[in-house]
Amino acid sequence: MSFLKTWAWTGILAACGASWVSAEGPVVPPPPPAAESLDCEIEVEVPDVAYLIVDGTTDSTRGAKRKVRVRKDAKKATCTIVANWSEAGQDRRIERTVRLDKPGKVVISLDDLTAAEQRLFDLTNQARANSGLPALRFDPRLCRAARLHSADMARYNSMSHYLNGRSHQHRTAEAGYPSGMVAENICYSQYNPEAAINTWLNSSGHRANMLSYSYFDLGVGIAYSSNGAPYYTQVFGR
């Protein structure tokens, strides 16, 4: 085709509103939209001694305040963060489920309850509610006394209120609880918190402690012997 014919066709197309491209200038596509970040950053505050496990993978960061990154997934709405440390020879494992759309800040302390301990605490107050009694308050000092006593019983394979020359009054005082008005329930080998609560409720002395009007505060602790037998402790105070 001659130059004149080419020019004529170009003019016709332009008059009809058609677009055309010069052979000397290639089309440059527009830049793609900025990709959305595939990572979610979560702020975590945990004890210095704790290891973090995020969705089954150990996180290498250390310190009390940490930031972990979790890969977003269209099919995944939450992630699981576990703080794990050792106390008095016992493995402490505190778990949190975090929403990825609103992660917020995760705070885990040395006095937080494990899932089994939380169940024991809740069942205690449920038994009280069933008898028309008010719920007992969580007290971290009583929990510390209960937890360490369970650990001692598990270490020595001995279920006793009196170990290492100390009674439950000694233990609660050492944990910082100001009053000596305390009572203690213990048991071992029950396969779960429900069985432990039933054991106590079927014993007059233990039942009296659990369903007493005299106490306002509660601490619980669970520890495991070398053969896996659980030792349970409740401590009541006012």
Side-chain angles (χ1 to χ4, degrees):
M1 184 180 293
S2 69
F3 173 78
L4 291 177
K5 289 182 178 180
T6 302
W7 181 261
W9 277 110
T10 300
I12 294 171
L13 290 171
C16 293
S19 61
W20 62 283
V21 179
S22 167
E24 296 179 358
V27 175
V28 178
E36 184 181 354
S37 172
L38 296 178
D39 287 336
C40 174
E41 187 173 81
I42 303 171
E43 187 178 354
V44 184
E45 188 171 321
V46 293
D48 283 334
V49 297
Y51 287 92
L52 281 184
I53 303 170
V54 182
D55 281 343
T57 301
T58 301
D59 183 82
S60 60
T61 57
R62 304 294 291 172
K65 295 183 178 181
R66 314 178 197 182
K67 291 184 179 179
V68 298
R69 302 186 73 84
V70 179
R71 196 74 170 171
K72 291 181 181 178
D73 188 317
K75 299 180 180 179
K76 179 179 176 181
T78 64
C79 78
T80 301
I81 294 179
V82 176
N84 187 238
W85 67 91
S86 178
E87 178 188 67
Q90 294 290 314
D91 186 56
R92 301 288 296 171
R93 181 183 174 91
I94 309 298
E95 184 174 309
R96 297 283 187 269
T97 299
V98 182
R99 286 179 52 180
L100 294 181
D101 60 336
K102 296 179 179 179
K105 182 179 180 180
V106 177
V107 179
I108 296 173
S109 78
L110 290 171
D111 290 317
D112 282 353
L113 301 179
T114 65
E117 289 169 341
Q118 186 64 57
R119 183 66 176 154
L120 187 67
F121 187 94
D122 293 341
L123 287 169
T124 303
N125 276 330
Q126 183 60 58
R128 290 176 62 85
N130 292 343
S131 296
L133 296 166
L136 297 171
R137 300 172 300 201
F138 169 85
D139 190 283
R141 298 161 298 185
L142 295 183
C143 280
R144 196 173 310 122
R147 192 167 65 242
L148 294 179
H149 186 52
S150 286
D152 276 346
M153 290 192 294
R155 180 184 301 112
Y156 298 116
N157 286 306
S158 173
M159 192 185 79
S160 173
H161 291 288
Y162 196 81
L163 278 178
N164 295 326
R166 296 177 301 158
S167 67
H168 56 287
Q169 285 94 348
H170 292 114
R171 291 187 288 272
T172 55
E174 289 171 0
Y177 194 71
S179 169
M181 294 289 294
V182 292
E184 182 178 80
N185 285 347
I186 57 176
C187 64
Y188 85 108
S189 277
Q190 285 73 13
Y191 56 90
N192 60 26
E194 285 82 357
I197 291 291
N198 288 334
T199 295
W200 286 324
L201 287 175
N202 287 315
S203 166
S204 59
H206 298 92
R207 182 183 181 89
N209 282 341
M210 199 185 311
L211 304 183
S212 173
Y213 279 101
S214 299
Y215 302 113
F216 309 130
D217 301 325
L218 173 63
V220 298
I222 304 175
Y224 301 87
S225 67
S226 57
N227 63 5
Y231 285 79
Y232 300 86
T233 302
Q234 290 173 313
V235 181
F236 307 90
R238 60 170 297 170

